[in-house]
Amino acid sequence: MLDNSSLKKYYGDVSQAELKRLQDFLATHRIKQINVRGKSVRYYSCGEGEQTILTFSGGHSGLETVYETILGFENGYRIVVVDISLFDSLSEFRLGVDMVLEREGVGRLFVIGQSLSGVYSQIYFKENYDNVDAMVLINT
């Protein structure tokens, strides 16, 4: 979780209302972890609904930056967000995502991605298209 000094540093210019929304999100959404080849890969798995959405974070930002996406979808969908920042190869990425989805009992799913997460969404889709019902890409 972001500590107070990080919140002030990175979100100091954000309105108090939006900062409170982020803090409320952080207080109610627990980051999970799974060991992938000796690395502790972080992810969110939350929400309600029969259908699951998969997306990614990392690269240039942490899991916390997807709070708007999670809040926007979690009332109608289950959502899984995997932090890709520790993966050193595509095979490790594939293994890590598969491990998260297996642990969470996810079957068929939708994949969404924006920017770099859109690139990873396409990589996931290429290897798992038979398990994906839809893919939405934004600015990627």
Side-chain angles (χ1 to χ4, degrees), residues 63-105:
L63 276 175
E64 298 81 10
T65 61
V66 298
Y67 78 100
E68 285 284 349
T69 300
I70 292 173
L71 291 173
F73 286 112
E74 71 179 350
N75 288 330
Y77 298 88
R78 181 170 183 203
I79 185 159
V80 175
V81 183
V82 179
D83 183 345
I84 60 168
S85 64
L86 293 180
F87 297 130
D88 290 326
S89 67
L90 290 179
S91 65
E92 196 170 81
F93 161 75
R94 289 183 199 109
L95 173 66
V97 173
D98 288 345
M99 289 174 67
V100 167
L101 295 176
E102 182 178 328
R103 175 188 271 180
E104 295 299 322

Side-chain angles (χ1 to χ4, degrees), residues 7-31:
L7 281 172
K8 185 175 181 178
K9 178 179 178 181
Y10 296 109
Y11 297 94
D13 293 332
V14 173
S15 72
Q16 287 300 308
E18 192 60 32
L19 182 58
K20 172 139 179 33
R21 190 167 186 235
L22 171 61
Q23 290 171 316
D24 290 347
F25 170 83
L26 294 173
T28 58
H29 292 75
R30 184 176 66 91
I31 293 175

